[in-house]
Amino acid sequence: QVQLVESGGGLVQPGGSLRLSCAASGSIFSIYAMGWYRQAPGKQRELVARIGNGGSTYYADSVKGRFTISRDNAKNTVYLQMNSLKPDDTAVYYCNAARSKSYWGQGTQVTVSS
């Protein structure tokens, strides 16, 4: 069992930056692939970025070059650094841990607006 708690969301102007954090507890963090997903109103949840337990990364085309996913296994935490934010990035962002099962956090709202 894994518990995930996201933080760091908020309101930011276009072009601004935010860093999301996801703290994990309850299991051996380092063995899980960790991901950030987002869901905008009226849209399906989509994968934004993922980092494997070996450190390999994947990014959706829409965020490549702007977002960076990283993990600190000593702190049981995964991060999503978001730069050059756009209004289209507005969504609830969810942290995910996956191995044989998949676990989700409660989500954190990111709003990009002037």
Side-chain angles (χ1 to χ4, degrees), residues 2-4 6 35 37 45 94-97 102-106:
V2 178
Q3 294 80 43
L4 303 171
E6 301 101 332
Y37 291 70
R45 191 173 297 190
Y94 296 91
C95 179
N96 174 266
S102 184
Y103 301 92
W104 295 92
Q106 82 288 350

Side-chain angles (χ1 to χ4, degrees), residues 10-112:
L11 173 64
V12 63
Q13 292 187 342
S17 298
L18 283 175
R19 189 175 82 153
L20 305 183
S21 299
C22 173
S25 61
S27 188
I28 304 172
F29 175 77
S30 62
I31 67 174
Y32 288 86
M34 301 298 298
W36 286 98
Y37 291 70
R38 67 186 181 188
Q39 188 166 19
K43 295 187 177 181
Q44 289 189 334
R45 191 173 297 190
E46 63 176 355
L47 175 63
V48 174
R50 183 174 60 228
I51 185 165
N53 55 11
S56 61
T57 57
Y58 164 86
Y59 296 94
D61 287 344
S62 58
V63 307
K64 278 182 183 177
R66 300 188 299 122
F67 291 10
T68 302
I69 189 170
S70 61
R71 64 191 300 163
D72 185 337
N73 290 339
K75 296 183 177 180
N76 287 0
T77 302
V78 63
Y79 304 97
L80 186 67
Q81 178 67 43
M82 305 186 294
N83 299 328
S84 303
L85 283 161
K86 305 174 181 179
D88 283 350
D89 296 318
T90 296
V92 178
Y93 283 70
Y94 296 91
C95 179
N96 174 266
R99 188 168 167 85
S100 55
K101 293 184 179 181
S102 184
Y103 301 92
W104 295 92
Q106 82 288 350
T108 185
Q109 176 71 46
V110 172
T111 302
V112 185

